[in-house]
Amino acid sequence: MFDPTALRAAARHAEAFLASLPDRPVRATADAAQLRTSLAGPFPDEGVAPERVIDDLARAADPGLIASAGPRFFGFVIGGSLPAALAADWLTSAWDQNAGVYAASPAASVVEEVAAAWLLDLLGLPPDAGVGFVTGCQMANFTCLAAARHALLRRAGWDVEERGLQGAPRVHVVLSEEAHSTVPMALRLLGLGAGTAVRVPADSQGRLRIDALPDALSACDGPTIVCAQVGNVNSGACDAMPEVIAAARAHGAWVHVDGAFGLWARAAERRRALVAGVEAADSWATDAHKWLNVRVEAADSWATDAHKWLNVPYDNGVAIVCEAAALHGAMAAGGEYLIKGAGEVRDELDWVPEFSRRARGFTVYAALRSLGRRGVADLIERSCVLARRMADRLAAAPGVRVLNDVVLNQVLVRFAPPGGGGDVDAFTREVVTRVQADGTCWLSGSVWHGQVVMRISVSGWATTPADADRSVAAILRAARR
Ligand SMILES: Cc1ncc(COP(=O)(O)O)c(C=O)c1O
């Protein structure tokens, strides 16, 4: 008979952890050596009671946890977990469905179907696009680019799934020099090679330079993929999609968009209203593109994450392909023993690289249902407003400089040593280290166009203006010492 003791213990620990988030140090309080001491040991011959395993694990892991689900975590681009999404994640584990085929879990299949339709609606993407729920944007980029490879080579009369790339027509790839590293990684995995892509220079904000695109495309004689980006991982800047799409279309190229977090700006009504205004005025001004991902819907494929700005627990990414048949063609798998639906139901493994897999649709469904269209818009808008607020307050302090146009949720900051002179790179690195050690908030550093920066990303649903202000105060304290 099922004994719920361990599950109840887990719920107690989870509740205690979540309740501690607003006040606990955001950094970890134990280092690797301390964690090894409390977690390692010889592999036991005998098992331990489940409740004790959970109690011991929770106690030993706690000092090594980062409060990334909390309100003052601004590192990388990491969202928290919405209450409904987190609870749905628990159910996903309890239900333990293998979301590979409809026959193994009709509920998982239909929920994915619904979550996919809601996402397309919310993001303003074609309603009949193909959607696959994968582990993150790395795999979403991989999956979309596999669909691109499939479609382009099929058009060239080549079945890449059957024949591979041995002797295939060359597939050219055009890539901004600011593309996220997961795009070249996907090209490596697809046999297209990261090093063979034509790299296009980017402008001061990290947007692909449109004036350099024709030259790049003219070097591509044959099937071509153009990889664009909405939401630069450092600056948040978005490529000028209307121009990217126009140039790519003139060349017959496939346009792929890496929108790991930036694609979510399309869900923010207020920003959309601005897009509409811009469109009506016929003013494709760079000021608009740099923070609004207009015309993104005219691309061929989009990779994004639910575990970033939608605040769904890890792991959850989404691959979306306009031509659903291309995604299906690249991913569909067989197996004599599989009982597959005859097209009228969704066999999830036909849309992703995995076979057996977690039922990722449940958490996305729960997040979207709990927020609704308005809630998602508020979450995105609020994050952008708080990023702006932090940028303005930091920039008002002496010796502090914000390097990027704060168009979304990303802020890049540099700190001059007090008293003038000195090494700004070294001091900025030092400020990041001090802030991390202080524990009021957590953020990381980066290098932006050769300069060391502090990188702030506002992505969590729980962050309030008070959290933003408290974090700015901690950052400025660290910069004054
Ligand atoms: C623009 C961009 N693309 C791709 C990724 C990779 O996403 P994931 O970590 O979910 O694989 C990131 C991560 O920050 C990103 O910002």
Side-chain angles (χ1 to χ4, degrees):
M1 212 183 85
F2 174 69
D3 177 357
T5 324
L7 213 50
R8 289 190 185 138
R12 266 198 320 277
H13 291 297
E15 218 177 310
F17 173 72
L18 294 172
S20 76
L21 284 175
D23 302 312
R24 67 188 277 142
V26 184
R27 64 179 159 81
T29 52
D31 61 18
Q34 290 163 323
L35 290 167
R36 284 188 195 110
T37 305
S38 52
L39 286 159
F43 178 60
D45 287 332
E46 303 300 333
V48 173
E51 185 186 2
R52 172 138 177 246
V53 173
I54 296 304
D55 283 343
D56 289 352
L57 176 63
R59 202 169 305 115
D62 188 82
L65 299 176
I66 300 257
S68 45
R72 291 186 305 286
F73 184 84
F74 305 108
F76 312 107
V77 188
I78 292 184
S81 289
L82 290 162
L86 172 58
D89 201 46
W90 287 7
L91 282 179
T92 305
S93 292
W95 291 335
D96 191 24
Q97 305 290 284
N98 183 342
V101 288
Y102 173 87
S105 179
S109 164
V110 171
V111 162
E112 255 196 28
E113 211 174 85
V114 176
W118 285 354
L119 272 178
L120 295 176
D121 178 4
L122 178 71
L123 297 174
L125 299 178
D128 50 359
V131 179
F133 291 93
V134 290
T135 52
C137 206
Q138 168 69 84
M139 285 313 290
N141 278 324
F142 170 84
T143 304
C144 289
L145 292 171
R149 187 184 68 164
H150 167 94
L152 290 173
L153 287 177
R154 193 195 49 208
R155 280 175 216 159
W158 189 268
D159 180 347
V160 70
E161 279 69 42
E162 199 53 35
R163 303 171 74 182
L165 290 174
Q166 326 275 11
R170 173 158 183 193
V171 177
H172 299 268
V173 181
V174 173
L175 202 57
S176 159
E177 66 180 9
E178 284 281 343
H180 191 271
S181 60
T182 51
V183 178
M185 180 55 161
L187 297 175
R188 276 166 58 179
L189 296 174
L190 288 163
L192 296 173
T196 63
V198 182
R199 288 290 192 150
V200 182
D203 67 13
S204 64
Q205 294 299 313
R207 295 169 299 224
L208 181 148
R209 264 184 43 203
I210 299 300
D211 61 326
L213 199 49
D215 268 1
L217 282 165
S218 69
C220 304
D221 178 17
T224 304
I225 305 171
V226 174
C227 295
Q229 178 171 253
V230 293
N232 179 291
V233 71
N234 282 310
S235 67
C238 299
D239 289 345
M241 290 307 303
E243 286 86 345
V244 171
I245 286 170
R249 290 281 176 258
H251 193 81
W254 177 287
V255 179
H256 169 66
V257 178
D258 177 357
F261 62 97
L263 200 60
W264 293 90
R266 292 174 63 79
E269 287 155 21
R270 283 180 53 194
R271 280 159 209 270
R272 274 220 176 167
L274 283 166
V275 176
V278 168
E279 278 174 348
D282 198 25
S283 60
W284 301 109
T286 45
D287 260 10
H289 326 129
K290 76 188 176 193
W291 63 301
L292 302 166
N293 41 59
V294 289
R295 288 278 291 152
V296 167
E297 72 282 1
D300 296 291
S301 58
W302 307 265
T304 192
D305 266 322
H307 60 213
K308 286 188 169 69
W309 227 348
L310 186 59
N311 282 248
V312 161
Y314 282 95
D315 46 26
N316 211 312
V318 195
I320 306 170
V321 178
C322 183
E323 186 190 334
L327 178 58
H328 193 271
M331 294 294 143
E336 291 305 315
Y337 68 95
L338 294 178
I339 310 164
K340 291 184 69 175
E344 67 284 355
V345 290
R346 177 182 173 89
D347 290 313
E348 300 96 313
L349 58 72
D350 285 345
W351 304 96
V352 292
E354 294 116 353
F355 199 76
S356 292
R357 56 191 285 280
R358 184 171 180 78
R360 293 201 185 85
F362 289 130
T363 51
V364 176
Y365 177 93
L368 292 175
R369 178 131 198 263
S370 77
L371 289 176
R373 200 183 302 276
R374 207 160 293 137
V376 180
D378 285 350
L379 166 60
I380 302 305
E381 189 61 34
R382 201 167 64 238
S383 309
C384 296
V385 167
L386 290 177
R388 174 86 261 161
R389 181 182 179 110
M390 290 178 80
D392 288 347
R393 283 167 195 228
L394 286 167
V400 184
R401 202 156 64 87
V402 170
L403 264 55
N404 64 316
D405 293 342
V406 182
V407 292
L408 285 180
N409 56 338
Q410 307 293 119
V411 188
L412 302 176
V413 199
R414 253 165 97 70
F415 300 88
D423 184 337
V424 179
D425 278 349
F427 187 66
T428 300
R429 214 175 274 120
E430 173 62 22
V431 175
V432 170
T433 306
R434 287 178 191 170
V435 172
Q436 289 175 349
D438 168 73
T440 304
C441 63
W442 202 96
L443 32 73
S444 57
S446 186
V447 176
W448 176 246
H449 298 166
Q451 298 181 303
V452 173
V453 289
M454 170 185 281
R455 186 172 160 284
I456 299 172
S457 173
V458 186
S459 313
W461 68 275
T463 305
T464 63
D467 288 309
D469 294 350
R470 200 171 142 193
S471 301
V472 165
I475 295 167
L476 292 178
R477 260 197 325 273
R480 277 191 209 110
R481 276 196 280 132

